[in-house]
Amino acid sequence: MDKFVIEGGKKLSGSVKISGAKNSSLAIMPAALLNNGLNSFTNIPEVNDIYTMIKLLKHLGVESSFENGNLSLNTSKIISQDAPYEHVKKMRASIYVLGPLLSKYGYAKVSMPGGCAWGPRPVNLHIESMKKLGAEIELKDGYIIATAKRLNGAPIHFDVASVGATGNAMMAAALAKGNTLITNAAIEPEITLLAKYLEKMGARIQGIGTNKLEIEGVDELMPAKINNISDRIEAGTLLIAGAITKSKIEIEVDEIDNLNAVITKLKDSGARVEVLANKVSIDAENLEIGSVDVATSVFPGFPTDMQAQWTAYMIFGNGTSTITDNIYSDRFMHVPELVRLGANIQIVKNSAVVKGVKKLQGAKVMSTDLRASASLVLAGLAAQGETEVLRIYHLDRGYQRIEEKLKQLGASITRAATAEF
Ligand code: UD1
C-alpha cells in the first residue's frame, strides 16, 4: 500500500503536460467490441482504471498491447460476453461493455456495479435504454442478463442526462436495425469523443456534441484509430494546485474549451489565468483568494469531478463559499479529512459551506475516493508541515503519476510504501 508524504508550503513554478483523459478512454475502449479487428488509440493515460478495463476486455477475448500511451485492442477473437463481478466491482465504468456486447453478439451478462464510497449510483438508465432498443433484460444473482436477436432503433429519452447511459445507448444503437433518437443525451466531451470514434468505425450519427443524437444503425462497423483528448479533470486539479499554493505555473493541454467552467471560477477567485493555443497559465502570486460559490452541473457546467478540489481551494478563501453538488448529493467524504487539517467546513444537505481560514496544519489523512484524494493532496501542498495522504490507490485509479508532475513543478511530495491502511 502506498502513501504520499507532502511537505507543504512550497511555491510551485514551471510547466507540466496533461495526460490523456481517463473517462473518455473508458468509453472508447469497450466500443472496440463493436468491430472485429485491430483498433488503435493514442494518448491513453497509464492509470489503474485503464489496466482494469484492459483486464476485463482480455477476459472477453480482446488482445491488447499498451506502451507509452499507445493502446491497441484486437477484437477479432471474442470468446465471452460475460463481465463478472470480480472485474466490475473494481470499476463502475465496466458497465460500458453492456451496449457493445449486446448489440454485436446478441447477449451480454454484466455484473451490477455496486454503489460508491459516497453513495448509490444506479444503472437503471442503462438498463431502460437497452430495453427500449428491444432487449430482454433479466436481473438475476447480481447480474444484468441482456438478450436480443438484433436490437431495433427506437426513441430514447433520458430524464437525467447520464454520461454512461448515453454512451451505452449510442454504442448499442450504432449496430441496431433502423434509427434511434436519443434526447437529453449527455454532451460531456468524453461522449463526443466516443461518437467521433464510432463515426470513424462507420457509424452514422447526427447531432454530435448536442443533446439530441440521431443514430442510423448499420450492419457492420470496422476497426478504427483515434487520438484521445486531454484530461480536463487532471488539468483543473493542477491549475488549482497552482492557485492554492499562490504560485505561477503553466499546463500544456488540448481542447482548452473543456476547461471553461473551471477557468471562469478560478478567475472569479482573483487568480490571473491566461489561455494560449495549447497552454493555460495561472498566476496566483500574492493572491488574496476570493471565496467563490460553485454548483456542479452537467457539461458545460462545473464538473462534479472537480467539486472536492474546489472545496480544498476555498478553505483559504477570504470569506464564506457554498459548494453544491447537484450530480452526486452525498459526494463529501473528503470534508471530514480536510477538517482534520484545520478547515472550517459544514455540510448542509448537498452543499459544503466553507469558511475561509488562514492556514492548515499538516496531518495524516485518508483517501476515500479518486477525487477526494486529489483534494487532500491539494490541501497538503498548501498546509504547514507534513501531510501524509494514505490509501492513494484511489488516486492511482485516475491520475497518471501525479506526484511526478507535482515534483516537476517544485512540490515536495514523495510516494512511500506503508503498512498502514
Ligand atoms: C461519469 C464519470 C464520472 C462523473 C460522472 C458525472 C466516467 C467513467 N465516469 O460517470 O467520473 O462523475 O460521469 O459527470 O466517465 N444516474 C441514474 N441512473 C443511471 C445512471 C446515472 O440515476 O442509470 C444518475 C447518477 O446517479 C447521477 C447522474 O445520473 O446523479 C449522472 O451520472 P452519470 O452521468 O451516469 O455518471 P457516470 O457515467 O456513472
Side-chain angles (χ1 to χ4, degrees):
M1 183 90 49
D2 285 355
K3 65 178 177 185
F4 281 151
V5 181
I6 301 168
E7 189 59 41
K10 296 259 183 316
K11 288 269 181 228
L12 308 185
S13 63
S15 185
V16 76
K17 190 173 173 358
I18 300 303
S19 299
K22 166 186 84 83
N23 284 352
S24 52
S25 306
L26 294 175
I28 57 180
M29 291 166 67
L33 291 165
L34 289 163
N35 62 57
N36 299 100
L38 194 60
N39 295 267
S40 313
F41 308 96
T42 45
N43 200 28
I44 302 297
E46 291 162 16
V47 299
N48 284 348
D49 274 8
I50 300 301
Y51 297 113
T52 301
M53 183 58 86
I54 288 174
K55 275 190 203 139
L56 169 59
L57 294 174
K58 184 177 179 199
H59 171 86
L60 305 176
V62 178
E63 288 170 3
S64 66
S65 79
F66 186 29
E67 215 175 336
N68 296 327
N70 299 318
L71 172 68
S72 62
L73 296 177
N74 190 337
T75 50
S76 54
K77 292 185 206 130
I78 297 306
I79 48 167
S80 165
Q81 289 83 37
D82 184 349
Y85 181 60
E86 61 175 289
H87 293 289
V88 180
K89 73 174 183 207
K90 287 195 189 137
M91 186 180 69
R92 274 181 56 85
S94 307
I95 187 93
Y96 270 134
V97 300
L98 175 67
L101 285 176
L102 174 64
S103 196
K104 169 90 173 151
Y105 296 97
Y107 176 80
K109 182 176 173 194
V110 180
S111 172
M112 297 266 275
C116 262
W118 72 78
R121 291 178 70 183
V123 288
N124 58 311
L125 300 173
H126 297 252
I127 294 173
E128 287 309 316
S129 61
M130 297 303 125
K131 279 189 186 162
K132 288 257 166 64
L133 294 170
E136 295 267 337
I137 304 270
E138 191 188 357
L139 301 180
K140 201 174 158 212
D141 305 331
Y143 280 82
I144 305 164
I145 301 166
T147 43
K149 273 215 176 72
R150 184 174 179 190
L151 293 176
N152 282 306
I156 298 174
H157 177 78
F158 289 117
D159 289 335
V160 178
S162 156
V163 174
T166 301
N168 246 332
M170 190 165 52
M171 289 190 275
L175 278 182
K177 189 168 186 295
N179 295 343
T180 297
L181 177 66
I182 306 178
T183 46
N184 198 23
I187 58 165
E188 269 63 9
E190 295 74 23
I191 289 299
T192 298
L193 186 79
L194 172 63
K196 287 182 183 165
Y197 174 50
L198 292 172
E199 265 197 326
K200 281 178 174 247
M201 286 188 205
R204 298 198 188 128
I205 308 176
Q206 301 280 324
I208 294 178
T210 76
N211 62 7
K212 193 168 152 194
L213 296 167
E214 288 180 74
I215 301 146
E216 185 190 336
V218 295
D219 293 338
E220 198 184 10
L221 292 168
M222 306 308 288
K225 293 182 182 175
I226 196 158
N227 185 44
N228 189 21
I229 53 176
S230 289
D231 197 306
R232 61 195 172 107
I233 306 302
E234 185 192 52
T237 304
L238 286 166
L239 287 175
I240 292 183
I244 201 170
T245 56
K246 302 198 178 177
S247 305
K248 189 175 170 188
I249 63 159
E250 186 181 80
I251 57 168
E252 282 175 56
V253 57
D254 294 321
E255 302 92 18
I256 293 175
D257 281 354
N258 294 343
L259 301 174
N260 282 347
V262 173
I263 288 177
T264 302
K265 290 291 177 184
L266 281 167
K267 285 182 177 168
D268 290 350
S269 77
R272 296 166 290 278
V273 184
E274 253 187 81
V275 174
L276 300 163
N278 63 339
K279 285 184 180 154
V280 181
S281 68
I282 182 158
D283 179 357
E285 280 178 353
N286 303 317
L287 175 68
E288 179 181 313
I289 298 170
S291 291
V292 176
D293 295 347
V294 149
T296 67
S297 62
V298 296
F299 189 81
F302 194 93
T304 173
D305 288 351
M306 284 298 300
Q307 180 261 106
Q309 300 89 315
W310 191 263
T311 304
Y313 179 40
M314 285 299 105
I315 290 172
F316 297 99
N318 61 0
T320 300
S321 52
T322 303
I323 296 141
T324 304
D325 203 320
N326 292 315
I327 308 290
Y328 296 114
S329 54
D330 296 329
R331 193 178 196 177
F332 292 104
M333 299 286 283
H334 43 287
V335 167
E337 297 300 304
L338 292 171
V339 168
R340 297 193 64 246
L341 296 172
N344 182 343
I345 311 176
Q346 304 268 323
I347 307 285
V348 183
K349 293 189 185 151
N350 62 332
S351 298
V353 179
V354 188
K355 282 201 178 121
V357 296
K358 289 272 177 283
K359 66 178 179 77
L360 292 184
Q361 188 60 48
K364 275 189 188 175
V365 285
M366 196 177 73
S367 307
T368 49
D369 64 73
L370 171 55
R371 306 303 170 186
S373 330
S375 77
L376 300 179
V377 170
L378 291 171
L381 292 173
Q384 295 181 353
E386 190 176 277
T387 297
E388 287 190 15
V389 183
L390 302 172
R391 300 193 185 179
I392 55 167
Y393 58 86
H394 289 292
L395 208 128
D396 290 334
R397 288 186 54 183
Y399 286 93
Q400 181 173 319
R401 295 185 285 278
I402 193 150
E403 75 278 23
E404 286 178 18
K405 290 180 174 114
L406 289 168
K407 261 189 212 157
Q408 197 180 319
L409 294 171
S412 169
I413 177 168
T414 322
R415 180 183 288 266
T418 175
E420 266 182 283
F421 192 66

